[in-house]
Amino acid sequence: MDKIEKIYNKEISNLLKGVQNSNVPVVNPIIAEILNNINVDTHAKLATISIDASMRFLNRIGEPNVSNQDILIGDLVSAYFYKCATLNKDLKFLDTMTKAISKQNELKQTLASDKKNADSNMIKEIESIYITTLIDYYDINMDKEKLKDEIYAYYY
């Protein structure tokens, strides 16, 4: 079977056909590797990797050189998340992941409004929320704290 990142890149490239100068939002290689090594539905994997990539891509809003087209691309990849989560045919999974989106947004808002009290644990939670949500949902035995540390180290 193809690696999840390869499937994601192919699907998103097809989704973005016709969009000029489009960049496929990149995936976190740590998350991709975990997804490649666990036995869960491919649509759940694609949903997880796409919402993570989309939200990271959209986090760039407000930075120089981020265009309206970039926002559109991030939104299209987010829509792809919903498609994959629906194709998974598990509405509880969809509900769990959309709650993770809300939680991440709340944590980001808290972080933005109180930067002086921000700590690495909050940032780790923000950066790893989708993969840890999937791990919890499917009850996968994995050291989530180590995973959070690895993802944090990758970005910071």
Side-chain angles (χ1 to χ4, degrees), residues 6 15-16 21-23 29 31 43-44 53 55 59 62-63 66 77 87 104 116 124-126 138 145 151 154:
K6 184 177 179 183
L15 181 68
L16 298 176
N21 303 318
S22 60
N23 294 317
I31 293 171
H43 292 111
M55 296 302 273
N59 282 343
E63 293 177 5
V66 175
V77 176
L87 290 172
Q104 185 189 59
K116 68 179 181 180
K124 288 176 185 179
E125 181 73 18
I126 290 168
Y138 285 102
E145 294 308 313
I151 292 171
Y154 180 78

Side-chain angles (χ1 to χ4, degrees), residues 14-26:
N14 286 337
L15 181 68
L16 298 176
K17 274 187 182 165
V19 177
Q20 297 294 320
N21 303 318
S22 60
N23 294 317
V24 173
V26 297

Side-chain angles (χ1 to χ4, degrees), residues 46-63:
L46 288 168
T48 302
I49 205 166
S50 63
I51 195 60
D52 186 77
S54 171
M55 296 302 273
R56 287 181 201 288
F57 197 77
L58 290 170
N59 282 343
R60 301 170 34 247
I61 294 173
E63 293 177 5

